[in-house]
Amino acid sequence: MRGDAVDEVLSRLPHTWTADEAERIVQRFRDSRPAVPKRLVSRLWQYWLQQCPDQPLFGDTEDDLALVLHARALGLRVPAGDPGTGDGPVARWARRAREAAECGPLFPAPLAWGPKAALAPQVRAALPSSLVRAWVAGDEQGPVEVLVAGAGLPEIRQQVVQSALTTCLRVNGLGDPESGDFVGDHIGVGLIRVTAGLSGAQASLDIPSVFHARSVTVADAVSSTARGALRDFVSLLRSLAHETGLVEVADIAYADLVTYTQGMRALADRAAGERERAFLRAPRAAEDDGLVSLQPYLRTVRGQGASVGLEFSPDLFTTDAYMSVEQAHQRVLSQRLTMDARLRLDQLETEIEQLTADKRAYEQASEEERRTLWPATVLLVVRFDEATGRTIRLTEPEEVPTEKYYEVNVPHLIKIRKAWARRMRELVEQLETAVHRPHAPARQVAAGRFLDAALRGVVPDESPATERAFRAWCTEAAPMLWFEWRCALRRDGIAPEDVFTPHTVLISRYLPPTAEDAAVLFSHPYTLVDTARSAVLADAGRAVLVVRDATDHAEPAPADANGPSAQELWDELAALAEQPQVEEEFSRRFLEALRARPDGIARRMIEALQPSGPSAAEEDRIEAALRTAERHTSLGEGLDRALMAMRNEAFLTARECLDDIRTETQWQARVWLLRAIVECRAARLESREIPGLLGHQMPGLPDVALRALDEAGSADEEFTRDWLESLPEAGLDKGIRRLFQGLPRARASCKGDALNKVSPEREYAVWLFRNAVEYARLARQLDEAGEELAEHQEAVDAALAKLGRALEEILVGPYAGGSRGAAEELFEVLTGQEPPRYGRVAGR
């Protein structure tokens, strides 16, 4: 039956089919497998349930089971196959669909990857490894392809996967919008491959990387080219390698990678041409690091295609279950990124129009009109932050002549905003092109990621909503995928264990439907090949290249393994460490011991580095020294914290800080003077008005501020009088700094306590240690709060809600000393409000 005749039958309801027509539809199902379209499966499934539910439809075990699996994978209502659900053919095949022998996972059980495996020299590239290793293939113009192997620790994995996804979108948003190319990138679980090869020669577009600030290590002029985007990704990997030691980056020549790939194909062709012989490519010498590449499983027989692969129906990606996965995935990634860039673009364009109109009006006006319509000076109330592209409101207005403002300031502001608008506009175009262009690169990457994960039986580490949706879809689709792969390999005479190994991934080639073309979906198994660790066998008898490495033979480390115990190895290391000039040997033997007994050696290393806890008497002495240090440093820390709280308008905190200060009378006047300034600011007096009001004690001062001046005069009349007299001329900033001049620094404040037998040195050491612990806690608290943010961009109010508590404690909490610059800048960017610049003093 011709294709148009089959379509005509499918357009009718199944109960109208004749027996001959039904047989032809059945044959079309057999011929189409495994790429059976949903329309055909749906009609045939209806026919079976309505016309012949009491007998097998095909009379063939494989095809009957295949129909049940395809129907379930395509979202049709299929019996669950639970025991006791009936004894008809449909129920029996539904139960068969739950059996692992035909419909269970193809891959071996996931490896339990522990520290011993991560340190093993036999393995460099492993999908579940806790260490991330990257190979950057480049030429004289820069990187061409980046291959990343290893799941990594969660914190590392999140950054690498997000950066790879955004790099892929940027690269695939640069190509010809009318092209319908397959996306060659793969962002999978434990393996990432991103290439610049598909974008072609592109003009430089001057777009900075806004996805991760520290990854911008190249000039803006090359950031928006495919290679420039790839450079940003590589620079992130290098920074993680430098900062954590949990990422390794190796550079290889792209020409060597091409040569090795050609050699693999030549090896497969030779085996296919000489069927009586088998060829083995053994690993290179141990001292030769070689390269690691991702290679397809090439056939070693002729007439069946160059590599192993299957075509599936793209209708797999049209079910409600999969659409839930894709929507959750895209909602967090591309849609959020695009919306944030659009909002910033709209704001920039509005500001450009306003500034341009103001400048044009001023330039076209006559001198008389300028004097009449424009003031002599302009108060600048906002500042444009070039690093982030955000406008920040100034605390204290800055006054400049109007002529200078329109000749210098406005052109400069327009230029800066135009540059950012151009960057944002092109970034929006890249992202929207990658998401909405006819062949939808974003959808292709997502489909490949989820199809690979379903076949391998792993779960992508994404948002909870994405994970839940993926598990639901995988339950429906994975059994069909596993079954069809088993059937295909059986027909080709290939053993599943030769293809589906711990170092295999499934690379998909998916094109969504367009107005002219139907969708297509191909799936090909690829394997990691390490030239220094992997053995490659080309044997026509196996019908496919076979790749083996240490992960194929890995087993859980037995608890009672032979060899020296961890304690014995540690004792040997301790004895060796006492000998002179044994640094190299000690390093070698320490690494060997760590590989042999990672848990025991690590535990003893921690015990050796961890100091023993103090005795009860020592604890009492430490507590006494801490109380003494808190009393002696009360003045400096209290004033500093009160000033920071006032600058952030936390006036209640500022008052509490000043109330808690206990110090000598000679310093108490300064506490009261700062209290007067706090009360003025709390009463919403302008900063520029406060010096005159305080210095001359003019009407309008709050009563609490006047009381604070009286208390200051009682404590130190001379200092108070001199300070007030100089305040109107000096200004608020210099006045505050004078309050901090001469204050004893922390080292001088710690005088010890003879009564409690606390020396000055011990007191200062305890104070330093306490601060170091608290600073580490605050940094960890901010880091944990940051993990709650979305993967890339988040609304400012949502980010403040998640980070606010941690930022508040860093800026105005009890341990607000130390370096606060980064926290201040983050708070400034998030709020768009610049804190007051007065009273900045050096730390004590």
Side-chain angles (χ1 to χ4, degrees):
M1 183 181 290
R2 299 192 313 274
D4 54 352
V6 171
D7 291 338
E8 190 275 330
V9 174
L10 291 175
S11 66
R12 295 165 22 213
L13 294 176
H15 72 271
T16 66
W17 295 353
T18 65
D20 183 58
E21 288 174 336
E23 179 59 31
R24 291 174 178 174
I25 299 299
V26 166
Q27 186 59 43
R28 173 59 63 88
F29 177 86
R30 288 194 179 103
D31 297 339
S32 301
R33 282 184 50 205
V36 189
K38 184 175 182 178
R39 184 187 183 200
L40 175 58
V41 173
S42 176
R43 291 301 196 194
L44 201 54
W45 180 249
Q46 288 178 334
Y47 180 83
W48 192 8
L49 294 181
Q50 295 173 4
Q51 303 301 116
C52 52
D54 298 328
Q55 60 184 4
L57 180 62
F58 292 87
D60 178 86
T61 301
E62 182 178 299
D63 287 323
D64 283 318
L65 180 56
L67 179 57
V68 172
L69 292 169
H70 278 268
R72 179 174 294 166
L74 293 171
L76 305 180
R77 294 178 62 86
V78 177
D82 297 324
T85 55
D87 197 37
V90 175
R92 288 200 301 271
W93 296 131
R95 285 195 292 272
R96 286 284 303 276
R98 301 180 57 145
E99 296 178 1
E102 283 293 317
C103 309
L106 280 165
F107 284 79
L111 296 171
W113 206 262
K116 189 168 185 177
L119 294 167
Q122 294 87 354
V123 180
R124 287 195 305 169
L127 303 181
S129 175
S130 54
L131 298 180
V132 175
R133 292 181 168 93
W135 286 267
V136 180
D139 55 21
E140 64 278 359
Q141 298 180 9
V144 179
E145 178 181 310
V146 180
L147 180 69
V148 181
L153 299 181
E155 297 79 5
I156 302 295
R157 177 169 63 248
Q158 184 182 40
Q159 295 185 61
V160 173
V161 170
Q162 289 174 3
S163 181
L165 283 168
T166 51
T167 300
C168 174
L169 287 183
R170 291 175 67 192
V171 170
N172 287 281
L174 287 166
D176 181 6
E178 301 302 322
S179 67
D181 294 326
F182 288 110
V183 172
D185 300 332
H186 179 75
I187 316 294
V189 179
L191 187 127
I192 294 170
R193 183 177 67 176
V194 183
T195 175
L198 292 182
S199 63
Q202 297 293 327
S204 179
L205 294 177
D206 190 28
I207 295 180
S209 172
V210 298
F211 307 111
H212 203 294
R214 67 179 176 183
S215 67
V216 183
T217 57
V218 297
D220 288 345
V222 297
S223 291
S224 63
T225 64
R227 290 178 185 258
L230 208 58
R231 284 191 185 94
D232 289 345
F233 181 43
V234 173
S235 64
L236 169 69
L237 296 172
R238 294 192 193 281
S239 65
L240 288 174
H242 176 72
E243 295 169 9
T244 68
L246 300 174
V247 177
E248 294 180 3
V249 181
D251 292 291
I252 59 177
Y254 183 66
D256 292 345
L257 182 61
V258 172
T259 300
Y260 185 77
T261 300
Q262 293 172 345
M264 291 281 284
R265 294 187 179 277
L267 186 65
D269 291 341
R270 186 177 181 186
E274 303 180 43
R275 299 182 57 85
E276 71 284 356
R277 302 175 63 185
F279 304 91
L280 176 66
R281 176 168 290 180
R284 296 180 181 177
E287 62 273 8
D288 182 5
D289 287 340
L291 57 85
V292 173
S293 65
L294 192 63
Q295 299 290 338
Y297 277 96
L298 300 173
R299 297 181 184 273
T300 55
V301 292
R302 300 192 189 281
Q304 297 180 344
S307 62
V308 177
L310 281 184
E311 181 180 0
F312 288 99
S313 170
D315 292 340
L316 279 172
F317 298 142
T318 63
T319 64
D320 292 340
Y322 180 77
M323 294 307 295
S324 298
V325 180
E326 185 178 78
Q327 289 170 6
H329 173 75
Q330 302 293 2
R331 189 184 306 118
V332 175
L333 177 68
S334 54
Q335 293 176 9
R336 200 160 202 162
L337 281 171
T338 305
M339 180 57 67
D340 180 76
R342 272 198 167 281
L343 292 174
R344 293 172 67 181
L345 175 60
D346 292 343
Q347 179 185 0
L348 289 166
E349 289 179 339
T350 301
E351 293 177 357
I352 291 170
E353 291 176 2
Q354 181 180 352
L355 289 169
T356 303
D358 289 347
K359 179 175 179 292
R360 185 185 305 113
Y362 182 81
E363 291 174 343
Q364 294 175 354
S366 63
E367 290 295 332
E368 183 177 352
E369 289 175 332
R370 292 180 181 180
R371 287 193 298 269
T372 303
L373 300 177
W374 281 271
T377 60
V378 175
L379 285 179
L380 305 182
V381 295
V382 295
R383 170 174 60 84
F384 187 75
D385 186 73
E386 296 185 34
T388 61
R390 290 179 61 85
T391 300
I392 298 173
R393 184 170 298 278
L394 299 175
T395 303
E396 297 295 331
E398 180 183 345
E399 192 171 11
V400 298
T402 302
E403 184 177 0
K404 177 182 178 183
Y405 173 71
Y406 282 104
E407 289 182 356
V408 179
N409 291 57
V410 172
H412 182 62
L413 290 174
I414 293 175
K415 179 181 178 182
I416 293 174
R417 281 165 170 78
K418 282 185 175 179
W420 266 98
R422 184 175 68 252
R423 295 173 180 181
M424 287 299 103
R425 189 178 300 109
E426 291 169 345
L427 180 59
V428 169
E429 291 175 0
Q430 285 184 3
L431 293 176
E432 289 192 338
T433 299
V435 174
H436 301 300
R437 70 196 309 181
H439 69 284
R443 292 197 65 196
Q444 292 192 49
V445 174
R449 175 174 175 82
F450 295 123
L451 188 63
D452 170 53
L455 278 161
R456 289 167 52 202
V458 295
V459 179
D461 184 11
E462 296 197 27
S463 66
T466 307
E467 182 177 332
R468 287 192 299 271
F470 172 78
R471 290 183 184 276
W473 174 71
C474 194
T475 301
E476 295 180 355
M480 184 274 290
L481 298 172
W482 292 330
F483 173 76
E484 291 291 5
W485 267 109
R486 279 193 174 90
C487 293
L489 295 180
R490 190 183 302 125
R491 289 192 297 269
D492 293 343
I494 299 174
E497 59 271 17
D498 284 347
V499 174
F500 297 106
T501 70
H503 42 86
T504 297
V505 297
L506 278 297
I507 305 295
S508 298
R509 296 291 184 266
Y510 168 60
L511 279 181
T514 62
E516 298 83 10
D517 301 312
V520 292
L521 171 62
F522 299 94
S523 179
H524 295 269
Y526 277 63
T527 179
L528 279 174
V529 182
D530 185 344
T531 59
R533 303 289 191 277
S534 302
V536 181
L537 174 66
D539 183 1
R542 291 179 178 259
V544 69
L545 282 183
V546 178
V547 179
R548 289 285 182 260
D549 66 18
T551 59
D552 293 294
H553 309 284
E555 296 178 356
D560 56 346
N562 297 326
S565 66
Q567 187 60 50
E568 292 172 340
L569 293 172
W570 184 257
D571 292 340
E572 293 177 3
L573 289 171
L576 180 62
E578 298 297 329
Q579 302 177 19
Q581 299 179 349
V582 292
E583 288 80 2
E584 292 185 5
E585 182 181 358
F586 180 86
S587 299
R588 178 182 58 79
R589 290 179 58 177
F590 176 79
L591 186 56
E592 291 174 353
L594 196 59
R595 286 169 174 158
R597 303 287 184 180
D599 294 334
I601 295 297
R603 190 179 306 112
R604 282 158 180 80
M605 181 174 61
I606 293 172
E607 292 172 354
L609 296 175
Q610 179 73 31
S612 58
S615 62
E618 179 66 12
E619 287 182 0
D620 292 340
R621 287 193 292 271
I622 292 174
E623 183 64 27
L626 183 57
R627 288 196 304 269
T628 303
E630 288 175 345
R631 183 174 67 252
H632 287 163
T633 59
S634 168
L635 175 63
E637 288 198 311
L639 285 176
D640 193 19
R641 184 183 170 209
L643 176 60
M644 179 58 67
M646 181 183 69
R647 290 179 59 231
N648 287 280
E649 298 190 354
F651 300 117
L652 288 177
T653 301
R655 294 186 184 111
E656 291 174 1
C657 296
L658 296 173
D659 290 341
D660 292 340
I661 293 177
R662 298 293 180 266
T663 186
E664 294 87 347
T665 305
Q666 60 175 324
W667 305 117
Q668 195 65 44
R670 308 193 184 201
V671 178
W672 284 111
L673 291 173
L674 185 57
R675 177 62 176 263
I677 297 174
V678 169
E679 297 300 344
C680 290
R681 290 292 295 122
R684 299 301 176 184
L685 295 178
E686 291 292 337
S687 300
R688 62 179 179 274
E689 299 174 358
I690 294 175
L693 291 173
L694 279 179
H696 303 297
Q697 300 184 38
M698 299 171 60
L701 280 176
D703 292 339
V704 285
L706 290 171
R707 177 180 174 273
L709 293 179
D710 292 340
E711 293 286 354
S714 300
D716 190 336
E717 182 178 2
E718 182 181 355
F719 179 85
T720 302
R721 183 179 62 253
D722 293 343
W723 185 81
L724 289 173
E725 289 177 354
S726 63
L727 183 61
E729 184 67 25
L732 187 60
D733 182 53
K734 290 183 178 179
I736 291 176
R737 279 187 279 163
R738 187 180 174 192
L739 294 179
F740 284 81
Q741 289 175 359
L743 291 183
R745 296 180 178 270
R747 184 67 183 90
S749 296
C750 295
K751 303 174 182 177
D753 188 347
L755 182 62
N756 291 304
K757 299 181 179 179
V758 177
S759 66
E761 291 76 13
R762 183 181 183 85
E763 178 186 339
Y764 183 58
V766 169
W767 180 83
L768 284 178
F769 180 74
R770 189 281 311 265
N771 280 9
V773 171
E774 290 301 328
Y775 297 159
R777 179 183 65 82
L778 293 173
R780 184 172 62 252
Q781 182 176 326
L782 182 60
D783 202 34
E784 292 172 352
E787 292 177 357
E788 299 180 12
L789 297 177
E791 280 83 348
H792 284 289
Q793 302 291 333
E794 184 148 16
V796 169
D797 54 352
L800 271 173
K802 295 175 180 178
L803 299 177
R805 187 179 185 89
L807 285 173
E808 178 184 358
E809 189 166 359
I810 292 174
L811 294 175
V812 299
Y815 300 99
S819 175
R820 292 168 299 210
E824 289 184 48
E825 292 174 6
L826 178 58
F827 186 75
E828 183 177 306
V829 169
L830 286 174
T831 61
Q833 298 285 337
E834 181 185 65
R837 299 298 177 184
Y838 52 71
R840 290 187 178 266
V841 295
R844 278 156 299 285

